[in-house]
Amino acid sequence: MALCAKKHPPEEERRARANDREYNERFQYASNCIKTSKYNILTFLPVNLFEQFQEVANTYFLFLLILQLIPQISSLSWFTTIVPLVLVLTITAVKDATDDYFRHKSDNQVNNRQSQVLINGILQQEQWMNVCVGDIIKLENNQFVAADLLLLSSSEPHGLCYIETAELDGETNMKVRQAIPVTSELGDISKLAKFDATDCTSSGGTLVFCSGEVICEPPNNKLDKFSGTLYWKENKFPLSNQNMLLRGCVLRNTEWCFGLVIFAGPDTKLMQNSGRTKFKRTSIDRLMNTLVLWIFGFLVCMGVILAIGNAIWEHEVGTRFQVYLPWDEAVDSAFFSGFLSFWSYIIILNTVVPISLYVSVEVIRLGHSYFINWDKKMFCMKKRTPAEARTTTLNEELGQVEYIFSDKTGTLTQNIMVFNKCSINGRSYGDVFDVLGHKAELGERPEPVNFSFNPLADKKFLFWDPTLLEAVKMGDPHTHEFFRLLSLCHTVMSEEKNEGELYYKAQSPDEGALVTAARNFGFVFRSRTPKTITVHEMGTAITYQLLAILDFNNIRKRMSVIVRNPEGKIRLYCKGADTILLDRLHHSTQELLNTTADHLNEYAGEGLRTLVLAYKDLDEEYYEEWAERRLQASLAQDSREDRLASVYEEVESDMMLLGATAIEDKLQQGVPETIALLTLANIKIWVLTGDKQELLQSLLVETAVNIGYSCKMLTDDMTEVFIVTGHTVLEVREELRKAREKMMDSSRTVGNGFTYQEKLSSSKLTSVLEAVAGEYALVINGHSLAHALEADMELEFLETACACKAVICCRVTPLQKAQVVELVKKYKKAVTLAIGDGANDVSMIKTAHIGVGISGQEGIQAVLASDYSFSQFKFLQRLLLVHGRWSYLRMCKFLCYFFYKNFAFTMVHFWFGFFCGFSAQTVYDQYFITLYNIVYTSLPVLAMGVFDQDVPEQRSMEYPKLYEPGQLNLLFNKREFFICIAQGIYTSVLMFFIPYGVFAEATRDDGTQLADYQSFAVTVATSLVIVVSVQIGLDTGYWTAINHFFIWGSLAVYFAILFAMHSNGLFDMFPNQFRFVGNAQNTLAQPTVWLTIVLTTVVCIMPVVAFRFLKLNLKPDLSDTVRGQAVCFGGRSPCVRKPSGLNTPVAAVSVRYTQLVRKKQKAQHRCMRRVGRTGSRRSGYAFSHQEGFGELIMSGKNMRLSSLALSGFTTRSSSSWIESLRRKKSDSASSPSGGADKPLKG
């Protein structure tokens, strides 16, 4: 990626003075201008031609053109090469110019955005490209941040502001940033204008610091870290990431804020994460380059053979005919004649690698790209976003993918939390049953619960189980206490802009979902102050005194509030992870605990994020004593956190269990089905999720495992799920070794007692591990992955991971994502695909062979860096299994046919050389040579390359095993190439010798000799065009009107041009060019000629027909079987008999496979049973995974509400439930069970 600023040596530190451009310009920091375009009007032609002639093929054809300009060695006119070459260069130049135009357009759109910059004490409108380091910028609500800024002040109290980072990490929940206290009061422009470097301190002539100066770390790509120091008023103030606003973020729910530009343009963390743009080539491209070199070597060998033949012929025979066939003036020996003949044959035989090959490939790829863009089944109606092929060079690679690397948040999930189920006093709510007691499917469910009784209900909230609302309305004390806890125990902020219009400002969507659920069931959190919480309980406003917030942190994995109700009773409400909270319950709740634990296992088994709720009554005397000890602990100078934790631990014990919640981290629609289908296609899926660094490793693993189960990457059918959490190199190595040993032990005995050797080489070990019996999965966190990616351990990690069916890496940095992808590319030599939606995925997307960006969200960085984009993960299955497979199939068939037809065309010259004294005379006339690849045979092969398909698209989705030939590279490889070449050579032999043998003895109708050069040329050329046309008809698997028109139209055009070139009209206009008047008419009027053409065609084609017939009947491919079934069962008329291949063993295996696939797909639509896991709980802990807002709320710093509507914080409840993702098998009716109601204390 090119940028406006010049490159400079790496910085050791960054110095930026506020309002002092002259000082900052001395460091030559990068400007805020972005340039991704490559050309301008003056440089386009020379630069583009230079780039194009770096292609070996273009240079090769330019070399041939120069040879053709030498009269002594050229037997063809110059236009036979220059016309195709100019055509190729022009088409490529137009394509490059179009792409660069859109890059210019995108650059201008970004660089010309307006920003308010403080210049000379006045706010002025400046374009983004003119913003410099040290400038102070004013941002307003909903504006994008122009550069990496140090937050100075904002409209919110205490310098708070709220941002959305969707473009950076794909997360749509709000994040808080806060200015340091010393600058938070600089909200006035006059004060900001004085925030400069007028007061500098020096020591011994050396500058120490200036007021309003920031010294910080140099530019880097760490999105969650920043370290710096602000020098202001002769004091130093530390700066952290909490004080920074990064480019790409959007200011939300904050009227305005001011920031100091620290990093601009390419130095911003957003651009630092973009990575270096790599030129991507497909494996077929690389193979073609190798094959072209081989063909060139073959061409040189043919030239040498014919040149030697020429030298021998001239020495032995040619010298006797010097009177009739004199040598050219420059030729003085037979050896030199052979040397010139070599170059002449290089020119004549160059069509074995025609330049039209590269043009045709680009046209076919362009057509495939348009098919992706036009695919209505990949168009998202909700977001009005189509799929887009942002490159035209990788389409066939989509049909060869073996590894998919996916982000989680925003890619697999929507980052929308939905209150799905709950357990209250031993009864589970959330499932709906029909009259027979079976669980109702999503489409069979009645209308959702009607919350019209509650005027403050959120209309977007959906819940289907009416029994929960009935319990609330009937005044069930446990249910009321359950929702009372949810309405009180949180750190959500509320704003009511208009009467009844509540907007919740939640730190995470989890808390927003829980508070919204309580709101809809009649317990509406209305407002709060630092010391009170007001809740409307079933229409009655009740204000609770907030005594304490025991905030969440990574170790506690729970939060509590202590409140006093209007009656004066003090109660502690707590919610937290089941693994933590269930051990802190009173022993009297054991029976209820067992029932709730069963519900938790059921919820966790469905991939839901579980949370346990409990309470405890406190008497006044105990609370006063405890509050005093808490105060002393909070004032301690040493071990403050440990002392507070001990005080919290004491009060959060012997609690009474209320129940549990189950929140769905809402997956994107179709994610489990897509993953299951791609897995059946032998594609391995690795999830690389970049959760925040504050996450505790156990929470990370729990969340990752839950996502794995809900996405169907992990199933209970798996033999084992390995979890690697080591903190040191030795621990990680040991955990990986144990995982490999367990996999090897399960497959130690193979066949009839044969065992693997104990010691295997690295390559053998990898192959053995990948063939182990059973299905395994690997979950590894970021700390462990950092060690696993070290040079001495990366192979061990790769061997272990590649033996697993699924791999989940959590808490990985953007760099680690790219390293994992590069590791697989380096050692597995497999095609990789990376898919993500945030700037933290850009490096991974650019590193993989194919990068896919999820569009439709506000973040666009992943899309801009991607090769393909669409709005939902589920479209990936269609992109790969339909478009990718078809593109690979079409390209392979195109290349096989193209090499075949050109060898059949060119090798005729080689055989003719032995009968013309090796004189470099051509069989065909020069116009036929020019038009053969451009006109006569170009359109039919293009039609096949663009439209052909072996099975319909629905069959491609039903039989994912059809995808495997691309992964194994079966359709076009070196073996297939040599088969095509052999067929072409075989055709050329028959094409030359059959007419040659016939013409040696044949006569015309009038008895004269038939054999003459032009008649022979017409016969061979006509036979060639007919044979290759019949061959492409046999190769075409899917006939369209376009195929018919192009194939038969090309034949018609050939005859039309043939007769036109031998007509009187052209002879009259160009007598020196078209001398053989009437030759075509006279030759094709002879029955002998047509019999020769028919004989040649039959002999060339019949072996191919016979081979394919035998292969179809004796050893059909899966595609043959599927196509036979489609013909049999998909037609309008009933099938009379099975396809002939179905009676064979191989076909039977294929049919059996398809039956197994269908059975497995059908089973995967039901919910997964939790076999053997009843004793383990997987807590998703539905909390924000970072330090809570408790301290901020109790301090009252954020209690002044903004005048803006907080629409961005509205709980995003989905309008529909993807219940099909969680359906369970229920063979018998099961009624809801619950324990007896237990009275609440107090």
Side-chain angles (χ1 to χ4, degrees), residues 113-347:
R113 287 179 180 174
Q114 295 296 309
S115 186
Q116 299 182 68
V117 182
L118 186 62
I119 301 176
N120 298 325
I122 303 173
L123 280 176
Q124 299 181 14
Q125 290 289 335
E126 281 282 355
Q127 295 174 330
W128 275 25
M129 61 190 297
N130 296 326
V131 171
C132 300
V133 172
D135 287 350
I136 294 178
I137 295 178
K138 180 181 181 181
L139 295 175
E140 295 181 348
N141 190 51
N142 295 327
Q143 281 189 345
F144 277 93
V145 180
D148 288 356
L149 309 178
L150 169 65
L151 179 61
L152 298 178
S153 60
S154 76
S155 59
E156 298 298 297
H158 303 279
L160 292 174
C161 77
Y162 302 93
I163 58 173
E164 188 174 274
T165 60
E167 192 159 328
L168 291 177
D169 53 22
E171 298 180 4
T172 55
N173 52 296
M174 298 300 133
K175 296 179 177 60
V176 180
R177 295 292 183 265
Q178 185 175 14
I180 59 176
V182 72
T183 65
S184 61
E185 305 300 327
L186 300 178
D188 185 75
I189 294 178
S190 60
K191 294 180 180 179
L192 288 167
K194 297 177 182 178
F195 184 68
D196 54 21
T198 54
D199 301 322
C200 293
T201 303
S202 60
S203 176
T206 303
L207 180 67
V208 178
F209 66 84
C210 292
S211 292
E213 182 173 12
V214 173
I215 299 179
C216 64
E217 62 188 18
N220 59 74
N221 65 351
K222 297 178 181 178
L223 293 171
D224 55 353
K225 288 186 178 180
F226 178 80
S227 177
T229 304
L230 170 65
Y231 295 89
W232 173 241
K233 295 182 179 179
E234 300 186 358
N235 289 307
K236 297 189 293 183
F237 304 92
L239 303 175
S240 69
N241 197 53
Q242 289 298 311
N243 311 125
M244 296 294 294
L245 305 180
L246 302 184
R247 178 174 179 145
C249 298
V250 182
L251 190 67
R252 297 293 193 200
N253 310 314
T254 307
E255 292 185 19
W256 53 262
C257 73
F258 285 94
L260 173 67
V261 177
I262 304 298
F263 301 121
D267 293 340
T268 60
K269 292 183 182 290
L270 176 70
M271 301 306 296
Q272 290 283 312
N273 271 286
S274 295
R276 183 170 56 90
T277 301
K278 299 180 180 179
F279 180 68
K280 297 182 178 181
R281 301 184 67 90
T282 67
S283 58
I284 287 184
D285 278 335
R286 293 189 291 271
L287 177 59
M288 278 177 54
N289 288 338
T290 301
L291 297 181
V292 166
L293 292 176
W294 288 4
I295 292 174
F296 182 73
F298 180 67
L299 173 63
V300 171
C301 291
M302 289 193 296
V304 169
I305 292 172
L306 294 172
I308 293 174
N310 177 268
I312 295 174
W313 190 91
E314 290 291 352
H315 182 268
E316 299 293 335
V317 181
T319 53
R320 305 175 187 175
F321 299 92
Q322 287 294 316
V323 177
Y324 304 102
L325 296 174
W327 287 341
D328 293 334
E329 294 181 1
V331 179
D332 56 1
S333 66
F335 174 80
F336 191 66
S337 175
F339 174 76
L340 296 179
S341 178
F342 169 80
W343 294 109
S344 298
Y345 273 112
I346 292 294
I347 295 173

Side-chain angles (χ1 to χ4, degrees), residues 803-819:
C804 297
K805 181 180 178 182
V807 178
I808 301 176
C809 304
C810 43
R811 204 178 77 180
V812 294
T813 65
L815 179 61
Q816 284 179 325
K817 291 183 178 183
Q819 287 175 335

Side-chain angles (χ1 to χ4, degrees), residues 938-958:
S938 61
L939 295 180
V941 71
L942 282 178
M944 183 181 69
V946 172
F947 299 107
D948 199 51
Q949 50 184 268
D950 55 347
V951 297
E953 60 182 68
Q954 62 270 23
R955 296 289 182 177
S956 295
M957 304 285 281
E958 291 174 5

Side-chain angles (χ1 to χ4, degrees), residues 277-280 369 372-373 387-395 398 832-834 844-853 862-870 879:
T277 301
K278 299 180 180 179
F279 180 68
K280 297 182 178 181
S369 299
I372 294 173
N373 297 343
E388 181 183 5
R390 299 174 56 83
T391 181
T392 60
T393 59
L394 303 175
N395 294 325
L398 291 171
T832 59
L833 181 147
M844 171 178 72
I845 287 173
K846 289 187 174 182
T847 302
H849 292 99
I850 303 169
V852 178
V863 172
L864 293 177
S866 67
D867 305 304
Y868 300 89
S869 67
F870 40 72
L879 181 70

Side-chain angles (χ1 to χ4, degrees), residues 648-889:
Y648 291 168
E649 186 82 16
E650 175 194 335
V651 74
E652 293 172 330
S653 61
D654 293 332
M655 295 182 287
M656 305 301 294
L657 178 62
L658 263 178
T661 62
I663 286 183
E664 180 185 2
D665 186 359
K666 202 164 184 63
L667 295 172
Q668 289 197 17
Q669 187 178 9
V671 166
E673 288 82 359
T674 299
I675 290 178
L677 197 63
L678 294 177
T679 302
L680 288 174
N682 198 35
I683 297 175
K684 294 186 178 181
I685 302 176
W686 295 19
V687 173
L688 311 179
T689 174
D691 293 307
K692 293 291 174 288
Q693 293 294 328
E694 290 83 359
L695 265 169
L696 187 67
Q697 114 183 351
S698 60
L699 283 178
L700 269 167
V701 173
E702 289 165 356
T703 302
V705 170
N706 274 346
I707 290 295
Y709 276 100
S710 62
C711 293
K712 294 187 180 178
M713 289 180 62
L714 309 180
T715 68
D716 278 334
D717 295 332
M718 286 185 165
T719 309
E720 188 165 351
V721 177
F722 301 111
I723 298 178
V724 180
T725 58
H727 285 83
T728 66
V729 174
L730 294 178
E731 290 176 357
V732 174
R733 190 187 300 275
E734 181 65 17
E735 290 177 356
L736 292 175
R737 184 188 63 80
K738 288 181 179 179
R740 291 196 303 275
E741 285 183 353
K742 286 185 179 181
M743 287 188 281
M744 290 294 295
D745 288 342
S746 66
S747 300
R748 183 68 62 182
T749 302
V750 180
N752 298 321
F754 293 100
T755 59
Y756 289 116
Q757 295 179 1
E758 293 296 328
K759 295 182 179 180
L760 295 170
S761 66
S762 176
S763 60
K764 289 183 179 179
L765 179 60
T766 302
S767 61
V768 168
L769 282 174
E770 292 185 3
V772 296
E775 294 181 347
Y776 299 88
L778 177 70
V779 180
I780 184 170
N781 67 20
H783 287 309
S784 305
L785 185 63
H787 298 305
L789 291 175
E790 292 180 2
D792 60 340
M793 205 192 303
E794 59 181 14
L795 273 178
E796 295 181 45
F797 167 67
L798 185 66
E799 291 166 1
T800 309
C802 289
C804 297
K805 181 180 178 182
V807 178
I808 301 176
C809 304
C810 43
R811 204 178 77 180
V812 294
T813 65
L815 179 61
Q816 284 179 325
K817 291 183 178 183
Q819 287 175 335
V820 171
V821 176
E822 187 63 41
L823 182 65
V824 174
K825 284 178 60 180
K826 179 180 178 181
Y827 291 106
K828 299 304 295 182
K829 306 299 182 184
V831 177
T832 59
L833 181 147
I835 179 169
D837 71 320
N840 56 343
D841 303 315
V842 168
S843 296
M844 171 178 72
I845 287 173
K846 289 187 174 182
T847 302
H849 292 99
I850 303 169
V852 178
I854 298 293
S855 61
Q857 302 293 332
E858 292 192 48
I860 61 172
Q861 289 302 313
V863 172
L864 293 177
S866 67
D867 305 304
Y868 300 89
S869 67
F870 40 72
S871 61
Q872 295 185 37
F873 182 85
K874 68 176 183 179
F875 295 143
L876 186 61
Q877 60 177 304
R878 186 168 178 83
L879 181 70
L880 298 184
L881 301 185
V882 177
H883 292 288
R885 202 182 71 83
W886 278 352
S887 295
Y888 174 72
L889 170 75

Side-chain angles (χ1 to χ4, degrees), residues 947-1195:
F947 299 107
D948 199 51
Q949 50 184 268
D950 55 347
V951 297
E953 60 182 68
Q954 62 270 23
R955 296 289 182 177
S956 295
M957 304 285 281
E958 291 174 5
Y959 300 91
K961 194 74 172 178
L962 291 168
Y963 190 80
E964 286 195 3
Q967 297 172 323
L968 301 174
N969 204 23
L970 297 179
L971 301 186
F972 186 74
N973 48 43
K974 295 172 183 176
R975 176 178 176 272
E976 293 296 322
F977 169 74
F978 285 119
I979 291 175
C980 298
I981 297 308
Q983 184 186 357
I985 295 174
Y986 165 78
T987 301
S988 70
V989 170
L990 299 178
M991 199 77 62
F992 176 78
F993 285 103
I994 290 178
Y996 185 84
V998 171
F999 273 54
E1001 302 295 337
T1003 58
R1004 298 179 183 272
D1005 293 339
D1006 57 4
T1008 59
Q1009 183 69 28
L1010 178 61
D1012 64 71
Y1013 172 73
Q1014 280 299 317
S1015 297
F1016 181 75
V1018 169
T1019 304
V1020 173
T1022 305
S1023 300
L1024 175 64
V1025 172
I1026 293 175
V1027 167
V1028 297
S1029 297
V1030 173
Q1031 181 65 49
I1032 199 171
L1034 294 174
D1035 290 345
T1036 301
Y1038 182 73
W1039 285 86
T1040 66
I1042 296 176
N1043 292 88
H1044 283 289
F1045 178 75
F1046 282 172
I1047 292 176
W1048 315 127
S1050 295
L1051 275 174
V1053 168
Y1054 164 72
F1055 285 109
I1057 294 177
L1058 178 66
F1059 290 129
M1061 286 194 303
H1062 293 83
S1063 64
N1064 292 323
L1066 282 180
F1067 174 75
D1068 293 338
M1069 289 185 288
F1070 308 101
N1072 292 327
Q1073 297 294 327
F1074 304 96
R1075 304 170 182 168
F1076 303 98
V1077 180
N1079 179 71
Q1081 293 86 334
N1082 292 334
T1083 301
L1084 296 179
Q1086 302 298 319
T1088 304
V1089 172
W1090 280 109
L1091 287 173
T1092 304
I1093 293 173
V1094 171
L1095 176 62
T1096 304
T1097 304
V1098 170
V1099 175
C1100 289
I1101 297 299
M1102 281 308 296
V1104 178
V1105 175
F1107 173 79
R1108 294 187 182 182
F1109 176 80
L1110 293 174
K1111 179 179 179 297
L1112 184 62
N1113 281 270
L1114 299 179
K1115 194 177 180 181
D1117 296 328
L1118 179 59
S1119 60
D1120 298 327
T1121 305
V1122 173
R1123 186 166 54 249
Q1125 290 178 335
V1127 172
C1128 182
F1129 301 109
R1132 296 183 179 180
S1133 59
C1135 183
V1136 178
R1137 63 182 181 87
K1138 294 182 180 180
S1140 55
L1142 290 179
N1143 295 319
T1144 64
V1146 176
V1149 171
S1150 299
V1151 174
R1152 176 59 181 161
Y1153 167 78
T1154 60
Q1155 292 172 349
L1156 291 174
V1157 169
R1158 287 178 175 175
K1159 182 178 179 181
K1160 191 168 185 179
Q1161 286 176 322
K1162 186 176 181 180
Q1164 285 174 333
H1165 282 284
R1166 307 187 183 99
C1167 178
M1168 298 167 292
R1169 291 180 295 175
R1170 300 290 127 193
V1171 181
R1173 289 187 178 269
T1174 56
S1176 64
R1177 295 185 295 273
R1178 297 183 296 274
S1179 172
Y1181 192 47
F1183 264 69
S1184 167
H1185 294 306
Q1186 51 186 320
E1187 200 72 36
F1189 279 168
E1191 185 177 348
L1192 191 61
I1193 289 173
M1194 295 297 287
S1195 70

